[in-house]
Amino acid sequence: MKVIRADLTQPLCGIDKETDEMLSMSVTHIIHCAGSIKFQLPLAEAAEANITSAQNVLELARRCLTLQCLVDTSTAYVVPHTSGPDFELVPLHLPATSLPEDILLGRTTESELLKLTSRPNTYAMTKCVAEQLMVERRGEVPMTIVRPSIISVSLSYPFLGWVDSHAAFAGLVAALGMGILRVIDGNSEARVDIVPVDKVAQTLLDGAFLTGKTVEDSRIVYAVATLKNSLDINTMSLNAAKYFRRKRSGPRPQLYDLGPRNWKFYFHDVLYHRLLIFMAWMYYGIRGDVKMRKRAETMASVIKGINRVFPYFMHHTFDFQPRMKLLKDMDMVDYLLLVCRGVEEHLLNKK
């Protein structure tokens, strides 16, 4: 095994000529899973991370003479919430070819592009553009595109309940477990598709051996739980809060409002978020405790971010229809409790 320094935003991934020649003669499989998962990244930054990098990896793959497959990691949320079979390349409603240059040169704005493409954020939009361009430009490169849904703790590998990041669903569960998230902008009946990280990893590996020979046959596969194995927001939040009330001391985990964003939501947001954090911020300021005052500011930022980023996923139920089922007859309440345990042990440092 050899580790090679690279920069995916640069042509041919910034690899020197000698290394490029070595790779072109030896690489048989490429799994591209780098990129940004920040939903609200500025448009140009998201395009560089998710579109430019994917195109540079494709060009690198094109030079590999013994390549058997390029696997590209996309997202299930390139599709609208009324989604269909996983083999469909999702219509963009705009020609993808000129979009990267238009974005980088500022010829289009974020708001215009999100409206024209009907995408909720720059992450989903740039991933959708990347898919279109990868298929359009792949030529003879064997390719599989994998679309994960919301990734969370592992079922088996590297061990049961492993998680190492506050990103996505784990961050929401951590905020709920700490007792700081008490109001969520959502629809209590909407169901959230959450998939174990090791199942996604296995799908990526399997995808390396499921290739198409033509553009029409290029494989697009989901790595999702499916609607059958998805919990509604109400069940999810109540069970998570109940778990952490039994396990943690400190602020009592409790949800007072699950949306929608109406006058009651704003009232509860002020009462249980803004007012409490402001009082803590003032108290620690009077005491001169800079560290705790900064923590209060961080809490406010986390809560604001969750209720800015997650509503799209908390208001819509996605009925993904993969050809291959990852999870069969899985008890999702048990898995949710595993998520809570993983977050507690590995993110909140509570044994």
Side-chain angles (χ1 to χ4, degrees):
M1 179 183 293
K2 183 176 182 180
V3 178
I4 296 171
R5 184 184 297 273
D7 181 350
L8 302 191
T9 65
Q10 299 301 312
L12 293 179
C13 303
I15 296 172
D16 62 71
K17 183 178 180 181
E18 181 180 349
T19 303
D20 177 59
E21 292 177 353
M22 181 271 291
L23 293 177
S24 69
M25 299 300 295
S26 60
V27 170
T28 58
H29 294 80
I30 298 175
I31 298 179
H32 173 47
C33 53
S36 172
I37 58 171
K38 295 180 179 179
F39 296 151
Q40 304 294 333
L41 204 63
L43 180 59
E45 293 181 38
E48 183 177 54
N50 296 326
I51 301 175
T52 303
S53 66
Q55 295 305 295
N56 289 334
V57 170
L58 176 60
E59 291 307 310
L60 179 67
R62 204 185 307 280
R63 296 172 65 87
C64 295
L65 302 179
T66 58
L67 187 75
Q68 295 181 31
C69 186
L70 165 63
V71 180
D72 180 63
T73 311
S74 185
T75 173
Y77 298 100
V78 296
V79 303
H81 68 274
T82 53
S83 52
D86 65 339
F87 52 83
E88 292 182 356
L89 192 63
V90 183
L92 188 61
H93 308 302
L94 284 174
T97 305
S98 62
L99 281 180
E101 184 178 359
D102 290 343
I103 292 169
L104 295 176
L105 295 179
R107 291 198 290 251
T108 185
T109 66
E110 180 177 316
S111 58
E112 289 173 345
L113 207 49
L114 293 179
K115 182 177 181 179
L116 288 171
T117 60
S118 302
R119 296 301 182 273
N121 50 53
T122 57
Y123 172 72
M125 190 274 293
T126 53
K127 282 292 190 179
C128 188
V129 174
E131 276 194 10
Q132 300 278 337
L133 292 176
M134 292 289 273
V135 172
E136 179 183 310
R137 298 175 178 177
R138 80 181 185 99
E140 299 300 317
V141 175
M143 181 186 298
T144 299
I145 296 174
V146 176
R147 292 174 176 168
S149 56
I150 300 172
I151 302 173
S152 198
V153 309
S154 63
L155 280 179
S156 302
Y157 301 102
F159 50 81
L160 183 70
W162 175 80
V163 63
D164 70 344
S165 171
H166 282 82
F169 186 64
L172 186 149
V173 172
L176 178 60
M178 293 169 65
I180 64 173
L181 179 65
R182 300 181 173 188
V183 179
I184 296 176
D185 182 4
N187 175 352
S188 62
E189 296 180 355
R191 298 167 74 175
V192 182
D193 194 297
I194 303 167
V195 62
V197 62
D198 49 341
K199 291 294 186 180
V200 175
Q202 187 61 56
T203 304
L204 291 168
L205 292 173
D206 291 344
F209 302 95
L210 300 173
T211 61
K213 300 302 182 183
T214 68
V215 170
E216 289 75 21
D217 292 332
S218 57
R219 300 297 292 262
I220 300 177
V221 296
Y222 278 150
V224 298
T226 72
L227 188 60
K228 178 182 177 181
N229 293 314
S230 298
L231 292 178
D232 63 82
I233 301 295
N234 187 60
T235 300
M236 179 191 74
S237 56
L238 290 179
N239 278 277
K242 183 179 179 181
Y243 172 91
F244 285 109
R245 280 199 296 270
R246 294 198 310 264
K247 296 287 185 175
R248 289 180 57 81
S249 58
R252 186 173 187 269
Q254 180 70 47
L255 277 171
Y256 294 95
D257 200 316
L258 288 175
R261 195 178 282 261
N262 52 27
W263 71 268
K264 288 192 293 185
F265 171 89
Y266 288 109
F267 174 76
H268 290 143
D269 183 47
V270 170
L271 183 62
Y272 296 114
H273 286 163
R274 298 171 188 264
L275 182 59
L276 290 177
I277 292 175
F278 177 74
M279 290 172 64
W281 184 81
M282 288 291 293
Y283 173 74
Y284 290 119
I286 293 171
R287 290 188 58 183
D289 192 331
V290 177
K291 181 178 178 180
M292 291 303 295
R293 198 178 204 199
K294 184 66 176 177
R295 184 178 179 184
E297 293 173 358
T298 301
M299 290 166 57
S301 178
V302 167
I303 292 169
K304 183 179 179 180
I306 288 173
N307 279 324
R308 183 180 70 248
V309 169
F310 278 94
Y312 178 74
F313 308 97
M314 296 293 190
H315 280 271
H316 298 112
T317 296
F318 290 79
D319 185 13
F320 301 123
Q321 300 173 28
R323 286 168 291 194
M324 296 180 293
K325 307 293 185 182
L326 282 183
L327 307 175
K328 296 180 180 179
D329 300 321
M330 182 173 173
D331 188 323
M332 293 308 292
V333 172
D334 284 348
Y335 178 64
L336 173 66
L337 297 180
L338 177 63
V339 172
C340 294
R341 194 182 88 188
V343 167
E344 180 192 18
E345 292 181 356
H346 305 297
L347 300 183
L348 302 182
N349 298 319
K350 296 288 288 187
K351 300 294 184 182

